[in-house]
Amino acid sequence: MKILLVEDEPRMADALKELLHQEGYEVDCFFRGDDGLMAICSGQYDGAILDVMLPALSGLSIVTQSRKAGIRTPILMLTAKGELEDKVVGLDAGADDYLTKPFQPQELLARIRALCRRGLSLIENKPSIGDLSLDVKALTLHCSSTGQSVHLSEKECGLLEYLLSNQGQILSKEQMAIKIWGYENEAEYNKVEVYISFIRKKLAFVGSNVEIKAIRGAGYELRWKCE
């Protein structure tokens, strides 16, 4: 499980990272709100912990902008503010949970486990990134920003599902060929390029800002361009 932590107090950030690492989580930490927004919009995290008061961009702004961009990553707001009104504002902005400092480490971990289970449930039903979701059973690609949908072939759907399940990672042509066509198939790598081209056209058709980025000499990565 990969967790995004956006916390501007170095001592608190170090303590939270250590706590999460001990529980087996992989943690990326950022100290500025604008950096946190870019990170969450990558779509590669299973959950996010955001402080409210941050330099450059507040935690509430991160929630609001990422939700408008179609990011569905479960978010826990972490702040020293304890007033009911502050909690309501955070939840209305799109946060999934709210924890007030000071807190007990075990309570934080329990809430993170609950958020990650919720996120996994969403991914298993319909893999998604940003405003894009894939209905594997119906072989349909849908963009929530435009309301457009398009039908996929089985190979297109398989490739896109593979990319969605490995968000934030670069997949080589060899990995894709083996995943879709199998070890025994003599499919050439240019088949991967052809089907990636097909998928790119369908991404453009539905109007999504999700892109398949070619990484020279390495392969392809699925990215969400957060505006």
Side-chain angles (χ1 to χ4, degrees):
M1 291 287 185
K2 192 169 185 179
I3 302 295
L4 169 67
L5 172 63
V6 189
E7 167 62 64
D8 66 327
E9 297 180 16
R11 292 180 64 182
M12 174 64 75
D14 288 343
L16 290 174
K17 284 177 62 178
E18 179 62 25
L19 176 66
L20 293 167
H21 282 153
Q22 289 178 0
E23 294 297 311
Y25 293 103
E26 181 181 351
V27 183
D28 287 342
C29 183
F30 296 89
F31 301 97
R32 291 171 53 91
D34 49 355
D35 293 333
L37 177 62
M38 291 183 63
I40 198 170
C41 283
S42 69
Q44 62 179 293
Y45 296 98
D46 299 295
I49 303 172
L50 309 179
D51 193 11
V52 170
M53 304 301 293
L54 294 166
L57 195 69
S58 72
L60 291 175
S61 295
I62 294 175
V63 174
T64 301
Q65 293 186 40
S66 63
R67 293 307 191 222
K68 285 183 178 178
I71 299 300
R72 301 168 67 191
T73 303
I75 295 173
L76 169 66
M77 301 298 296
L78 194 63
T79 178
K81 292 185 177 181
E83 296 297 325
L84 177 61
E85 183 178 350
D86 296 318
K87 296 182 180 181
V88 171
V89 171
L91 294 171
D92 283 347
D96 297 274
D97 201 357
Y98 200 109
L99 188 59
T100 304
K101 303 174 186 176
F103 54 86
Q104 293 297 320
Q106 292 306 314
E107 182 180 5
L108 172 67
L109 292 173
R111 290 174 184 251
I112 290 298
R113 287 193 294 269
L115 287 181
C116 289
R117 285 196 300 268
R118 188 181 310 169
L120 280 175
S121 178
L122 289 172
I123 292 172
E124 288 167 359
N125 290 331
K126 284 190 178 182
S128 65
I129 179 175
D131 61 358
L132 197 71
S133 61
L134 176 65
D135 189 327
V136 177
K137 291 184 178 180
L139 300 177
T140 302
L141 186 63
H142 177 73
C143 177
S144 61
S145 296
T146 64
Q148 292 288 332
S149 297
V150 66
H151 183 75
L152 303 174
S153 70
E154 289 188 6
K155 292 292 189 295
E156 290 169 345
C157 186
L159 269 177
L160 189 52
E161 183 183 16
Y162 189 40
L163 285 163
L164 280 164
S165 63
N166 290 275
Q167 294 175 30
Q169 299 182 42
I170 299 172
L171 299 176
S172 69
K173 293 179 184 178
E174 180 181 12
Q175 286 175 300
M176 294 185 186
I178 292 172
K179 177 67 176 180
I180 304 304
W181 285 277
Y183 283 99
E184 303 302 324
N185 195 295
E186 296 182 357
E188 298 179 1
Y189 294 158
N190 65 355
K191 279 191 176 182
V192 173
E193 294 178 0
V194 169
Y195 277 91
I196 290 294
S197 176
F198 292 160
I199 296 171
R200 281 173 170 161
K201 290 178 181 178
K202 293 188 175 181
L203 289 174
F205 175 80
V206 297
S208 175
N209 277 334
V210 172
E211 65 175 349
I212 300 176
K213 184 73 174 179
I215 311 299
R216 181 181 292 273
Y220 296 96
E221 180 184 2
L222 195 66
R223 293 180 179 177
W224 164 247
K225 299 180 290 184
C226 191
E227 298 179 348

